[in-house]
Amino acid sequence: MKEIKVGIIGAGGIACSVHIPNYQKIENVHVVAVADIKPEVAEKAANRFNISNVFTDWEDLLKIDEIEAVSVCTPNAFHAEPSIAAIEANCHVLCEKPMAVNVAEAQAMTDAAKEHQKILQIGLASRFSPGSLYLKDLIDGGRLGQIYYGRAVAVRRRGIPSWGGFTRKDMSGGGTLFDIGVHSIDHVTWLMGAPKPISVFGSAVTKFGDRHDVINPDWGAWDVDNFDVDDFATGLVRFENGAMLTLETSWASNIENVGGSYILGTDGGVHVVGDTVFEQRNGKLVDTPIELPSGPGGHETEIRRFIDAIRNDLPSPVDPEEVLNVQKIMNAVYQSTETGRSVDLS
Ligand SMILES: NC(=O)c1ccc[n+]([C@@H]2O[C@H](COP(=O)([O-])OP(=O)(O)OC[C@H]3O[C@@H](n4cnc5c(N)ncnc54)[C@H](O)[C@@H]3O)[C@@H](O)[C@H]2O)c1
């Protein structure tokens, strides 16, 4: 099996918990270089995972010709530039979510991948859980009939990230919407068949993150005085095919943790990810159990699919055009917040 050499840009939490260990599980895949602007972070990752080339500047990492695949694991505001540079350096790229901080960057990333015929995969691992892959097949096979509605929910009672740049707009570009909202919006719209969004009305607000009286039991203190992103966002999206999506996401709110994304079709409905199809059969309402398969988690599978796609010359396992539409939805929510009007994406 052909050897694939991988470089890692940004050596923090997600690089060390997901990307590097999962690459290292795959036969003949070798993580050969790591870059982080903080030398101690790069060194620590290199020592822990036995990586021989260590840099503080990702441009130096991209000078290693044998590197064929790059993971971009930097804060959101630093996704586009290294991703595009890596593609231009002839590498396939797995870039963390969200794709970018604005539509122009996301478009430029998509265009670069197309122009250079490289794989650009975004780290939307929710798509790759065994249950999710099963539901995707079930929905694509027509079991739910015509899909006309999706609800994308990721609501935390308290779960404000207290590390990295999540709560600073200059690092993250956005708050809960870009952090956990992106997963649920992408997951639901992908399951709906990735319809094209044509208009968005929404609002993203700060109600907790800038307050010193708010507790954050799991993750502790964050930088309250420099918190300048949303901690709650909601929106309504209309798609070209007439389907609708509502979205709701928070890092903090006065309700229990709420998931419960679901999809409605004319022949059946499902929770995402649920083990039941709600439907009508032979004149009766029935809750049909579905047996979800087991298997590796979404993060492991996303890395395996990325490598598989490189080895077998396949398209990106996460179509960048679909993620570009998710970026358009999220930035339209921010735009709608400013104007109080719906945003036309058609
Ligand atoms: N898919 C998921 O489930 C998931 C989970 C957590 C984080 N993420 C995403 O991963 C990204 C990183 O998050 P994290 O939790 O690992 O943050 P982190 O702060 O732990 O790690 C980011 C690292 O990038 C480094 N960095 C910053 N600018 C850089 C640059 N220009 N060049 C090289 N290195 C640079 C930082 O020094 C830091 O070590 C974010 O985009 C986040 O949204 C995804």
Side-chain angles (χ1 to χ4, degrees):
M1 194 175 282
K2 180 179 164 247
E3 184 190 16
I4 294 183
K5 291 187 173 156
V6 180
I8 305 288
I9 298 177
I14 199 73
C16 293
S17 62
V18 168
H19 289 248
I20 305 173
N22 281 307
Y23 282 125
Q24 291 187 335
K25 282 186 197 166
I26 308 175
E27 196 186 341
N28 234 358
V29 171
H30 297 116
V31 179
V32 298
V34 60
D36 197 293
I37 44 166
K38 292 184 182 153
E40 69 283 7
V41 174
E43 284 295 344
K44 193 172 163 199
N47 290 336
R48 179 172 162 201
F49 294 103
N50 206 10
I51 301 169
S52 37
N53 298 288
V54 189
F55 304 104
T56 49
D57 186 340
W58 52 259
E59 292 192 42
D60 292 327
L61 179 147
L62 295 181
K63 287 178 189 150
I64 302 181
D65 275 348
E66 307 81 62
I67 291 180
E68 195 179 341
V70 167
S71 271
V72 175
C73 301
T74 44
N76 310 344
F78 314 103
H79 284 180
E81 198 189 350
S83 294
I84 292 169
I87 288 167
E88 287 173 346
N90 215 24
C91 296
H92 301 286
V93 171
L94 172 52
C95 173
E96 265 308 331
K97 46 54 61 170
M99 190 173 198
V101 295
N102 58 51
V103 175
E105 282 186 355
Q107 183 75 61
M109 292 164 76
T110 308
D111 292 347
K114 202 182 278 177
E115 183 188 337
H116 294 270
Q117 300 194 0
K118 291 288 152 195
I119 293 164
L120 171 63
Q121 181 175 337
I122 307 301
L124 291 155
S126 312
R127 294 186 180 203
F128 296 110
S129 71
S132 188
L133 293 167
Y134 184 90
L135 272 190
K136 178 69 176 154
D137 282 348
L138 181 131
I139 294 169
D140 286 354
R143 174 74 180 274
L144 305 187
Q146 183 200 6
I147 307 297
Y148 60 90
Y149 182 71
R151 181 170 185 254
V153 186
V155 168
R156 291 181 185 157
R157 183 174 190 176
R158 294 289 186 276
I160 301 174
S162 51
W163 67 94
F166 288 88
T167 58
R168 280 179 43 186
K169 197 169 180 191
D170 59 344
M171 304 269 276
S172 64
T176 188
L177 186 58
F178 277 1
D179 181 32
I180 55 176
V182 66
H183 279 298
S184 57
I185 298 165
D186 176 74
H187 198 182
V188 172
T189 53
W190 170 70
L191 287 170
M192 291 171 77
K196 181 180 181 297
I198 56 166
S199 64
V200 177
F201 181 68
S203 178
V205 294
T206 308
K207 298 291 174 192
F208 293 84
D210 56 356
R211 280 166 47 186
H212 285 276
D213 64 318
V214 170
I215 60 165
N216 195 37
D218 292 339
W219 287 336
W222 69 98
D223 186 0
V224 175
D225 296 325
N226 291 304
F227 189 103
D228 60 356
V229 292
D230 49 291
D231 53 37
F232 175 84
T234 182
L236 187 58
V237 182
R238 187 180 170 95
F239 298 97
E240 196 173 48
N241 65 0
M244 298 290 292
L245 173 89
T246 54
L247 65 95
E248 206 179 290
T249 180
S250 80
W251 277 338
S253 41
N254 286 323
I255 197 77
E256 77 270 35
N257 291 335
V258 185
S261 296
Y262 62 71
I263 290 177
L264 301 182
T266 49
D267 294 339
V270 289
H271 286 285
V272 176
V273 171
D275 57 3
T276 307
V277 178
F278 298 90
E279 54 194 337
Q280 176 180 318
R281 272 197 192 172
N282 305 324
K284 283 194 179 133
L285 293 179
V286 288
D287 304 352
T288 310
I290 45 178
E291 204 167 314
L292 297 177
S294 56
H299 279 126
E300 179 172 342
T301 303
E302 86 172 350
I303 304 275
R304 287 187 181 277
R305 291 275 178 110
F306 178 55
I307 294 296
D308 259 15
I310 296 172
R311 283 201 164 128
N312 299 305
D313 209 12
L314 300 172
S316 173
V318 177
D319 181 350
E321 298 280 355
E322 293 175 4
V323 192
L324 177 59
N325 280 336
V326 173
Q327 191 77 45
K328 286 181 182 172
I329 290 171
M330 296 191 302
N331 284 94
V333 169
Y334 289 134
Q335 194 183 331
S336 180
T337 307
E338 296 290 316
T339 61
R341 301 275 180 263
S342 83
V343 176
D344 186 353
L345 294 178
S346 58

